[in-house]
């Protein structure tokens, strides 16, 4: 019997996966020279590995069987590796085993081997030097950290393993049985690293278990083989380089298993996470990754020089595996600090997450995922041939034909065509991300500053050299930067970015794409932020963001102020879907719950983190609405609808999270409602509006009043407290029963009695006016229904028309006195014929006629109610529509003035048409009442 026909290891195809049906490829794994060698040398041992896909339990059983057959444990580990890889070659090449199961098997083999190696090292070293002890007498832990594919559970079949060794803290060992030979922890764990290497990495007659690479440790090959946790933290703070953040992105403690099960490995999270994921959006890493990629490509090119076949490297060549990994890791590192749901190690899972977060089109993520799986499977087949750590396509015709067949292709031509297609997709996406802008994003001479090599037309660090090409006012403004301390303190590469941004802005002004006014406002905005280099990096790396920012700033003044308060939201301008979408409350809430869950998994979900999470999400959504507003995509009413829906959602999320963290909560969900009044109740919120709300509860618990009072105080604090990310809303509870002298939270029964005039303590007419615009913004369905019944009973209560009119006119007079209009201008809100007149008329009509006209009972807003009043015959034909149009026009003027931070008083002639329609409405409805 020839080697090619030796029987392989026993198979159980049903053990592949319950969800996977084996697909025979017609390929024979015995073509592999490696498989032939294993079957020749270890024919007797093949049966030691239980049938099916290797898993840790079956590998542990095989290891014990090999030891019982007389193999020393270190030799048994090496033989086990041979058996596992032979099995994987059969399952993968002959039965198309899923990629994830193959890589998991290799990963678990590494974890098992390192766990065994640690146990052997500790046993030998403890006998010589005693255990490494902490001051409290506990054993100091050593954490073996798997980097890269090992950390992500993605090891390929002939992979080396990148390791970093970290121990808990410095100290001294206990000494041997005689109390002698004490050494420092640093020496002890250094010896342990060498011992582990001998067990796993040393080459013997049975080969290696894994090739071990420690080059990623702090200070690389010149650094100590093991470092303390404190030393690692100091290294990150002082010397940690950008490329190392990508390396640590996939890091994971993989051994000893006892440290993982015991929880001590969690200590690393607090050190690693802040290093990898920065607090702000971190576009500064683009250039670092670009430089790293250039080095890798240059190295691959040198290796291929004189060896053309090496250009077909499925990992390192253009469009290879590394470019997929870089693409997804870049998006993770840039945004993972603010969006914890992006923090995941496996590449395929990360692709799904970046697509879900809207950072990549779903079709692109799917194409990259398919390319990744394809290239990884090709990589494995290359390595099955001779068990070599290579990623280059074989040159022998029979090897290539076998590889194509094992991939499911009937011929070599089809396989090579598919390979080229996948690599082209990868290369194109990678070039878009790192090499330049996507089509349609930026064109013209202003884009010259985004070259992959960091150069641009006239790139340099001298701002003075740019001034002659700028318009006069902008040149004067930029000239001030030449001696500005913030600019002088910038690193050379950052100052060069600033110069290129100024060049690009000037070019766009010349082309008429943006205005000089917009550029001046951008200069005012960016100057205080110069030390936050990531914003300069973002604008340079994303010309489309730069241009959209300029358009936004050129349209109004208020966006610049908002961006100065919340600069991180600028990244929202990078979204291609920004202007095509509207606020989606369900998706927004689901996204925040995902982020919170991600923080919980890493133990970061403390109160401060949640407060900042809520604020960042809120500010970003307000900014998205603002961008759509300024670009003219939304009407004033749509802006108000979206801002009101956002407020509703923030109240719901904040209330839920507060209740879950309330120490004295007595039930799963609170039986409480939040009643929105004013602009929130009428769904007419603007930017920066406060929230007029009242809290009511319906709970028979004996301590309900105390519990809900504490809950409401916590909720208000969460909404209003200023953190490093700002606040959410100002909260006004003055409309609660008895105003500021009343209880902060009221039982629903007491609220109903107050509003329905039962008893001596009753609401005033102005409170019933407020009730016309009230709605339940938070509460379970039963609370919603009860409030709706209370509101309906209030607004439909019988009233005398003259008495009601006098009270409303009197209240209008008090409001006018509180907000006097000075000068000759027309105030769109407070002048006679302004918005307040419309609101008071609508409130009068609702309170007087809702009992007999049910169409006035719904809180649909002033514009709809005016039209309904006209349709019901309560207003002369055309008057309601005219007043509604006038109200919309006045709101638009007010909205525009606030965006541009100008007065809401306008030339009376410019608003006369609208004001006349409102005055006519007032005269018709309330004009018979004297002042």
């Amino acid at each position: 019997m020839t080697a090619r026909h030796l029987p392989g290891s026993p198979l159980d195809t049903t053990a592949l996966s319950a969800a996977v049906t084996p697909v025979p490829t017609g390929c024979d794994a015995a073509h592999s020279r490696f498989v032939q060698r294993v079957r020749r040398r270890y024919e007797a041992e093949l049966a030691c590995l239980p049938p099916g896909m290797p898993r840790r339990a079956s590998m542990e059983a095989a290891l014990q069987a090999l030891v019982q057959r007389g193999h020393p444990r270190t030799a048994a580990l090496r033989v086990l590796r041979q058996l596992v890889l032979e099995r994987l070659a059969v399952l993968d090449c002959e039965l198309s085993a899923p990629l994830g199961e193959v890589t998991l098997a290799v990963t678990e083999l590494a974890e098992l081997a390192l766990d065994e190696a640690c146990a052997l090292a500790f046993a030998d070293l403890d006998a010589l030097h005693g255990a490494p002890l902490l001051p409290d007498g506990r054993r100091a832990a050593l954490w073996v950290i798997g980097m890269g594919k090992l950390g992500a559970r993605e090891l390929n079949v002939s992979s080396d393993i990148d390791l970093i060794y970290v121990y808990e803290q410095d100290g001294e060992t206990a000494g041997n049985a005689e109390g002698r030979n004490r050494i420092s922890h640093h020496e002890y764990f250094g010896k342990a690293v060498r011992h582990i290497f001998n067990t796993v990495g040393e080459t013997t007659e049975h080969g290696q278990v894994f090739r071990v690479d420690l080059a990623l440790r702090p200070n690389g090959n010149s650094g100590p083989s093991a470092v303390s946790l404190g030393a690692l933290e100091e290294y990150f703070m002082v010397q940690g380089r950008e490329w190392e953040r990508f390396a640590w992105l996939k890091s994971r403690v993989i051994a000893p298993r006892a440290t993982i099960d015991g929880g001590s490995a969690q200590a690393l999270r607090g050190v690693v996470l802040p290093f990898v994921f920065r607090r702000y959006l971190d576009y500064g890493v683009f250039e670092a990754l670009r430089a790293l990629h250039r080095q890798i490509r240059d190295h691959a090119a040198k290796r291929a020089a004189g060896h053309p076949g090496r250009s077909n490297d499925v990992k390192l060549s253009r469009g290879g595996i590394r470019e997929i990994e870089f693409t997804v890791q870049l998006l993770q590192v840039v945004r993972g600090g603010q969006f914890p749901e992006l923090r995941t190690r496996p590449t395929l899972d990360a692709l799904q997450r970046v697509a879900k977060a809207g950072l990549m089109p779903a079709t692109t993520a799917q194409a990259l995922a398919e390319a990744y799986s394809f290239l990884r499977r090709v990589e494995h087949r290359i390595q099955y041939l001779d068990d070599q750590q290579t990623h280059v396509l074989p040159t022998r015709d029979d090897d290539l034909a076998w590889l194509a067949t094992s991939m499911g292709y009937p011929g070599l031509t089809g396989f090579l065509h598919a390979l080229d297609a996948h690599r082209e997709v990868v290369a194109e996406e990678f070039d878009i991300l790192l090499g330049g802008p996507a089509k349609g994003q930026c064109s013209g001479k202003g884009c010259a500053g985004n070259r992959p090599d960091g150069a641009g037309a006239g790139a340099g660090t001298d701002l003075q050299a740019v001034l002659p090409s700028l318009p006069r006012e902008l040149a004067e403004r930029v000239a001030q930067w030449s001696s500005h301390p913030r600019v002088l303190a910038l690193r050379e590469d950052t100052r060069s970015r600033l110069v290129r941004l100024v060049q690009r802005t000037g070019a766009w002004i010349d082309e008429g794409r943006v205005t000089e006014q917009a550029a001046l406002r951008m200069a005012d905005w960016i100057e205080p932020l110069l030390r936050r280099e990531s914003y300069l990096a973002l604008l340079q790396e994303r010309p489309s963001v730069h241009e959209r920012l300029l358009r936004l700033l050129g349209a109004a003044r208020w966006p610049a102020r908002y961006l100065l308060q919340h600069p991180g939201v600028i990244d929202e301008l990078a979204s291609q879907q920004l202007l095509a979408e509207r606020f989606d409350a369900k998706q927004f809430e689901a996204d925040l719950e995902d982020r919170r869950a991600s923080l919980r998994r890493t133990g970061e979900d403390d109160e401060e983190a949640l407060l900042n999470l809520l604020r960042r999400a809120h500010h970003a959504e307000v900014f998205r609405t603002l961008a759509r507003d300024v670009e003219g995509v939304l009407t004033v009413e749509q802006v108000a609808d979206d801002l009101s829906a956002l407020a509703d959602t923030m109240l719901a999320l904040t209330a839920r999270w507060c209740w879950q963290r309330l120490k004295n909560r007595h039930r799963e969900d609170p039986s409480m409602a939040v009643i929105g009044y004013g602009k929130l109740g009428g769904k007419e919120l603007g930017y920066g509006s406060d929230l007029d709300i009242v809290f009511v509860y319906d709970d028979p618990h004996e301590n309900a009043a105390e519990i809900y009072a504490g809950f409401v105080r916590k909720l208000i604090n969460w909404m209003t407290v200023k953190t490093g990310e700002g606040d959410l809303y100002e909260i006004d509870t003055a409309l609660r029963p008895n105003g500021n002298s009343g209880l902060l939270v009221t039982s629903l029964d007491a609220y109903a009695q107050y509003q329905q005039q039962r008893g001596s303590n009753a609401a005033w007419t102005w409170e019933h006016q407020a009730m016309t615009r009230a709605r339940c913004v938070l509460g379970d369905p039963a609370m919603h229904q009860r409030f709706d019944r209370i509101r309906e009973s209030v607004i439909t209560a019988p009233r005398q028309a003259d008495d009601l009119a006098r009270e409303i006119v009197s209240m209008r007079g008090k409001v006018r006195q509180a907000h006097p209009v000075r000068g000759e201008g027309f105030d769109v809100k407070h002048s006679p014929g302004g918005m307040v007149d419309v609101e008071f008329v609508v409130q009068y009509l609702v309170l007087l006629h809702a009992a007999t006209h049910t169409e006035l009972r719904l809180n649909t807003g002033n514009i709809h109610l005016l039209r309904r009043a006209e349709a019901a015959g309560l207003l002369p034909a055309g008057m309601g529509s005219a007043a509604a149009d006038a109200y919309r026009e006045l709101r638009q003027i007010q909205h525009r003035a606030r965006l541009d931070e100008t007065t809401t008083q306008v030339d009376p002639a410019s608003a006369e048409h609208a004001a006349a329609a409102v005055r006519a409405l007032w005269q018709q409805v309330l004009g018979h009442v004297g002042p």
Side-chain angles (χ1 to χ4, degrees):
M1 181 179 291
T2 65
R4 180 177 291 276
H5 296 97
L6 284 172
S9 57
L11 297 180
D12 177 5
T13 58
T14 61
L16 280 178
S17 171
V20 174
T21 302
V23 181
T25 63
C27 173
D28 187 355
H31 175 82
S32 156
R33 270 88 63 188
F34 163 71
V35 169
Q36 295 172 28
R37 290 197 301 270
V38 172
R39 291 178 180 178
R40 281 197 301 268
R41 180 162 188 183
Y42 300 109
E43 182 178 6
E45 285 86 356
L46 286 171
C48 292
L49 182 62
M53 178 63 70
R55 285 290 174 265
R56 179 154 182 160
S58 63
M59 288 186 273
E60 287 175 342
L63 180 64
Q64 291 304 117
L66 290 167
V67 171
Q68 290 171 6
R69 292 177 68 93
H71 290 285
R73 208 162 194 83
T74 55
L77 284 170
R78 286 160 171 76
V79 175
L80 174 62
R81 176 190 179 274
Q82 310 288 338
L83 305 185
V84 168
L85 264 63
E86 187 270 348
R87 175 72 54 79
L88 292 177
V90 174
L91 293 175
D92 194 356
C93 299
E94 297 183 6
L95 296 171
S96 298
L99 173 64
E101 296 201 10
V102 174
T103 56
L104 180 60
V106 184
T107 301
E108 290 186 343
L109 173 63
E111 292 171 349
L112 170 61
L114 287 166
D115 204 38
E116 293 284 337
C118 286
L120 292 173
F122 295 160
D124 287 353
L125 291 173
D126 283 4
L128 288 172
H129 305 289
L133 299 179
L134 299 173
D136 60 5
R138 291 184 300 111
R139 183 186 185 94
L142 173 70
W143 299 301
V144 183
I145 301 170
M147 308 292 282
K149 288 184 171 63
L150 176 57
R153 297 184 173 90
E154 297 173 331
L155 272 185
N156 57 52
V157 292
S158 292
S159 181
D160 61 0
I161 52 177
D162 294 299
L163 301 178
I164 294 178
Y165 294 90
V166 179
Y167 58 90
E168 200 163 356
Q169 68 181 61
D170 288 315
E172 192 176 60
T173 63
N176 60 17
E178 290 78 34
R180 292 181 293 182
N181 292 338
R182 288 188 176 91
I183 59 175
S184 70
H185 288 181
H186 182 75
E187 294 175 280
Y188 178 95
F189 289 117
K191 291 175 181 287
V193 169
R194 290 191 290 275
H195 198 296
I196 292 168
F197 173 82
N198 292 337
T199 301
V200 175
E202 191 175 47
T203 302
T204 70
E205 60 175 316
H206 298 289
Q208 302 166 305
V209 189
F210 285 96
R211 292 174 291 273
V212 178
D213 191 338
L214 302 183
L216 293 177
R217 68 187 186 271
N219 294 304
N221 291 327
S222 63
S225 58
V227 297
S228 69
L229 182 60
L232 177 66
E233 183 172 22
E234 183 179 358
Y235 175 82
F236 283 160
M237 293 176 63
V238 178
Q239 300 182 58
R241 289 158 290 182
E242 295 291 352
W243 68 264
E244 290 179 288
R245 296 169 59 197
F246 292 93
W248 280 88
L249 172 65
K250 293 189 174 187
S251 64
R252 177 173 62 92
V253 175
I254 56 170
R257 193 165 189 172
T259 65
I260 302 170
D261 296 340
S264 73
Q266 298 295 324
L268 276 158
R269 283 181 173 173
V271 174
V272 175
L273 284 176
F275 173 65
V276 176
F277 301 109
R278 302 294 163 83
R279 178 180 174 186
Y280 298 104
L281 294 170
D282 192 8
Y283 278 82
V285 299
F286 270 73
E287 190 55 44
L289 188 59
R290 194 177 281 130
L292 178 59
H293 183 255
R294 280 199 300 270
Q295 292 175 11
I296 292 172
R297 274 196 176 172
D298 290 346
H299 178 66
K302 290 176 182 177
R303 289 179 64 245
H307 304 277
R310 290 181 180 176
S311 62
N312 288 316
D313 190 315
V314 297
K315 178 179 180 181
L316 300 180
S317 293
R318 183 175 184 273
I321 296 166
R322 180 57 53 84
E323 291 190 355
I324 302 174
E325 294 170 338
F326 276 2
T327 296
V328 70
Q329 288 172 16
L330 181 59
L331 294 172
Q332 288 179 284
V333 171
V334 167
R335 296 179 65 99
Q338 291 199 6
F339 300 92
E341 68 271 26
L342 297 177
R343 303 175 191 174
T344 186
R345 299 180 184 92
T347 301
L348 292 175
D349 182 40
L351 278 167
Q352 292 180 5
R353 295 193 185 201
V354 297
K356 183 180 179 182
L359 304 180
M360 177 184 292
T363 53
T364 300
Q366 181 62 30
L368 291 179
E370 291 173 0
Y372 180 80
S373 297
F374 182 93
L375 294 171
R376 288 297 308 274
R377 292 177 65 227
V378 172
E379 175 187 48
H380 283 171
R381 281 147 179 77
I382 294 170
Q383 295 174 350
Y384 286 136
L385 285 169
D386 295 293
D387 188 25
Q388 294 296 310
Q389 190 190 9
T390 179
H391 316 279
V392 178
L393 287 178
T395 55
R396 284 175 44 172
D397 291 344
D398 59 337
D399 286 347
L400 282 170
W402 174 82
L403 196 158
T405 303
S406 71
M407 288 291 291
Y409 290 88
L412 182 59
T413 301
F415 163 71
L416 292 176
H417 178 75
L419 175 63
D420 288 343
H422 282 302
R423 290 174 64 179
E424 188 59 35
V425 167
V426 174
E428 182 178 347
E429 291 303 321
F430 185 80
D431 288 343
I432 287 173
L433 189 66
L434 275 185
K439 293 180 181 178
Q441 283 192 323
C442 180
S443 60
K445 60 182 179 180
C447 293
N450 198 44
R451 291 248 309 269
D453 58 2
T461 60
D462 186 4
L463 283 167
Q464 291 290 335
V466 183
L467 299 183
S469 63
L470 302 179
R472 182 181 59 81
E473 288 188 63
L474 182 59
E476 291 175 356
R477 185 72 177 82
V478 172
Q480 299 171 14
W481 286 349
S482 297
S483 57
H484 196 291
R486 284 197 184 99
V487 175
L488 295 177
L490 294 177
R491 297 200 316 258
E492 183 174 343
D493 60 331
T494 306
R495 194 156 56 246
S496 180
R497 280 195 181 114
L498 179 61
V499 171
R500 291 197 294 273
L501 281 177
V502 172
Q503 285 178 319
R504 184 196 289 163
T505 303
W508 284 346
I509 294 173
D510 287 345
E511 294 173 4
R513 291 167 63 165
V514 301
T515 66
E516 185 177 8
Q517 180 64 55
L520 290 168
R521 288 175 180 168
M522 191 185 83
D524 292 339
W525 169 74
I526 207 170
E527 183 178 297
L529 301 172
L530 285 173
R531 289 180 182 173
R532 297 186 187 179
E533 298 174 1
S534 61
Y535 296 115
L536 288 174
L538 166 60
L539 293 176
Q540 184 199 337
E541 296 290 345
R542 291 289 182 263
S544 61
V545 174
H546 181 197
E547 185 173 6
R548 191 174 279 177
L549 171 66
L550 284 165
R551 289 206 310 270
L552 190 69
L553 296 177
R557 289 190 181 93
W558 193 77
R561 184 184 302 278
Y562 193 79
L563 278 168
L564 194 57
Q565 293 172 336
H566 313 294
V569 302
I570 188 179
D571 189 61
E572 300 303 322
L573 294 175
S575 170
Q576 296 299 307
Q577 292 78 39
L578 174 65
L579 301 182
E581 297 176 344
R582 291 277 302 276
F583 174 62
D584 184 335
K586 289 184 178 179
Q587 187 61 53
F588 179 85
E589 194 167 342
D591 289 345
L592 274 178
E593 288 291 1
D594 284 348
R595 285 173 206 163
R596 183 192 183 199
S598 299
L599 290 174
R600 188 186 301 119
R601 284 193 292 271
T602 56
E604 297 174 274
D605 61 333
D606 56 78
E607 190 160 303
E608 182 181 3
L610 295 183
L611 289 173
N612 287 331
L613 175 59
L614 289 167
R615 280 149 179 74
R616 283 194 296 268
H618 171 263
H619 301 333
E621 192 58 48
V622 169
F623 184 68
R624 283 193 282 268
T625 300
L626 174 63
R628 295 168 191 143
D629 180 10
V630 171
E631 292 279 5
V633 175
L634 301 180
T635 65
V636 174
E637 288 86 354
Q638 289 173 326
V639 170
D641 286 344
D642 286 0
L643 292 177
S644 299
L646 175 61
D648 291 356
T649 308
M650 296 308 303
L651 280 166
L653 279 165
T654 307
R656 184 186 311 138
W657 294 2
C658 281
W659 182 259
Q660 291 169 358
R661 300 177 78 89
L662 194 69
K663 293 181 180 179
N664 61 341
R665 68 186 176 105
H666 60 293
R667 53 191 298 162
E668 187 66 24
D669 298 304
S671 183
M672 190 191 80
V674 177
I675 312 303
Y677 285 83
K679 292 187 182 300
L680 175 62
K683 296 185 179 180
E684 294 182 352
L685 280 186
Y687 304 112
S689 293
D690 60 5
L691 304 185
D692 294 302
I693 51 181
V694 169
F695 301 94
V696 295
Y697 67 90
D698 186 22
D699 192 327
H701 191 277
E702 60 182 356
N703 295 325
E706 177 184 344
I707 292 169
Y708 286 104
F711 173 42
V712 168
R713 283 193 294 270
K714 186 178 186 70
L715 173 58
I716 291 176
N717 181 65
W718 271 47
M719 298 286 284
T720 60
V721 68
K722 291 188 183 298
T723 71
E725 300 288 345
D727 60 2
L728 290 175
Y729 296 97
E730 290 297 322
I731 302 295
D732 190 339
T733 61
L735 288 172
R736 67 186 185 269
N738 298 304
N740 290 328
S741 62
L743 297 173
L744 187 59
V745 58
T746 309
S747 73
L748 192 57
D749 288 337
Y751 176 81
Q753 291 176 8
Y754 180 82
Q755 294 291 349
Q756 293 168 343
Q757 310 286 325
R758 299 201 302 267
S760 57
N761 185 31
W764 296 77
T765 298
W766 66 266
E767 292 176 281
H768 288 172
Q769 288 178 249
M771 183 65 90
T772 65
R773 305 184 73 191
R775 64 184 176 92
C776 185
V777 300
L778 177 64
D780 62 36
M783 294 287 278
H784 271 265
Q785 292 171 9
R786 284 202 61 188
F787 169 76
D788 288 343
R789 288 196 295 269
I790 294 169
R791 177 182 176 275
E792 185 169 317
S793 70
V794 170
I795 65 174
T796 60
R799 292 178 173 87
Q800 291 294 324
D802 290 344
D803 292 343
L804 178 62
R806 279 193 296 272
E807 291 190 60
I808 286 184
V809 170
S810 173
M811 179 53 65
R812 178 67 186 96
K814 292 178 181 178
V815 172
R816 185 170 285 122
Q817 290 175 2
H819 299 276
V821 178
R822 295 179 174 84
E824 300 298 324
F826 173 78
D827 189 299
V828 296
K829 183 174 182 180
H830 293 292
S831 288
M835 294 165 59
V836 175
D837 284 355
V838 176
E839 293 164 0
F840 272 67
V841 168
V842 171
Q843 291 162 13
Y844 170 81
L845 292 172
V846 170
L847 292 176
L848 186 62
H849 298 292
T852 54
H853 293 276
T854 57
E855 63 269 36
L856 297 182
R857 296 177 187 177
L858 292 178
N859 181 7
T860 57
N862 293 309
I863 291 174
H864 287 96
L865 289 170
L866 283 168
R867 297 187 190 280
R868 290 183 179 188
E870 179 185 321
L874 302 177
L875 295 172
M879 179 170 286
S881 296
D885 291 342
Y887 186 72
R888 174 179 285 116
E889 180 182 340
L890 295 174
R891 280 188 66 187
Q892 290 170 343
I893 294 172
Q894 180 193 53
H895 184 71
R896 182 71 223 176
R898 288 179 173 171
L899 274 181
D900 213 27
E901 297 186 332
T902 59
T903 178
T904 55
Q905 288 191 30
V906 300
D907 180 0
S910 66
E912 176 54 28
H913 180 74
V918 175
R919 289 196 298 269
L921 174 72
W922 181 271
Q923 185 62 34
Q924 173 67 30
V925 179
L926 295 169
H928 62 285
V929 182

